Amino acid sequence: MSSTEPANTEQGPRSEAWKTALTVLQTAKPPYIPAGVEAMTVLVEFPPGDPGTPPHRHSGPAFGYMLEGEMLFELEGEPERVIKAGETFWEPGGDVIHYQDGNNRTDSRSRFLVTMLCAPGQPMLTLVDDEELAQRKDRRAPRPA
């Protein structure tokens, strides 16, 4: 048998596709991750025009991938931006407020995957009340005109 012929095994020839199957979509340097974190991957789906989750924070970093539609995304200290299908996003979690994750389109749904590292003994998501939003209003990036 020559070296160019596939091996004749019970499982068949091995694929070489794995060598080019990986595409890096995002890299990030998250903050320190304490021992005992729990990783959670969730699928989020919002109907057309839905404003999304009210202002909130996550107990640990979150890494996301937009599957379908568009999301209006805004973290404390950063200007709002639109994340489109095929794009990634991440947030450090902890004390940072996540202001927006709503559907930016009124004609189609939005769907995204998020993998979160949840701090031990803390909820994955905590809503931020109006009083705290008012106290931290100077940390929010200027709003579009």
Side-chain angles (χ1 to χ4, degrees):
M1 175 169 73
S2 77
S3 61
T4 58
E5 293 178 30
N8 187 7
T9 66
E10 292 177 25
Q11 297 173 342
R14 289 188 178 209
S15 170
E16 296 291 316
W18 65 271
K19 292 180 180 178
T20 58
L22 181 98
T23 301
V24 175
L25 298 176
Q26 166 179 250
T27 60
K29 294 187 185 225
Y32 170 74
I33 300 171
V37 299
E38 180 177 350
M40 175 186 305
T41 299
V42 298
L43 173 64
V44 180
E45 301 182 60
F46 289 126
D50 193 274
T53 312
H56 62 279
R57 60 174 48 98
H58 298 285
S59 62
F63 304 87
Y65 180 78
M66 198 73 198
L67 296 168
E68 181 180 345
E70 297 178 357
M71 175 196 350
L72 188 57
F73 183 80
E74 181 187 1
L75 294 178
E76 187 171 58
E78 297 180 8
E80 66 183 25
R81 66 185 198 266
V82 174
I83 309 290
K84 297 182 179 184
E87 296 179 343
T88 62
F89 57 94
W90 90 280
E91 59 184 281
D95 191 46
V96 175
I97 295 175
H98 184 165
Y99 286 100
Q100 298 187 67
D101 65 0
N103 189 342
N104 193 48
R105 306 274 311 248
T106 58
D107 61 344
S108 61
R109 69 181 179 168
S110 65
R111 296 175 65 232
F112 54 94
L113 284 173
V114 182
T115 298
M116 294 170 277
L117 301 178
C118 305
Q122 294 184 23
M124 168 275 282
L125 182 145
T126 304
L127 296 181
V128 177
D129 64 31
D130 290 339
E131 182 180 336
E132 184 178 0
L133 290 173
Q135 291 170 353
R136 294 170 71 130
K137 67 181 177 185
D138 63 318
R139 298 183 192 189
R140 192 169 187 181
R143 313 295 302 134

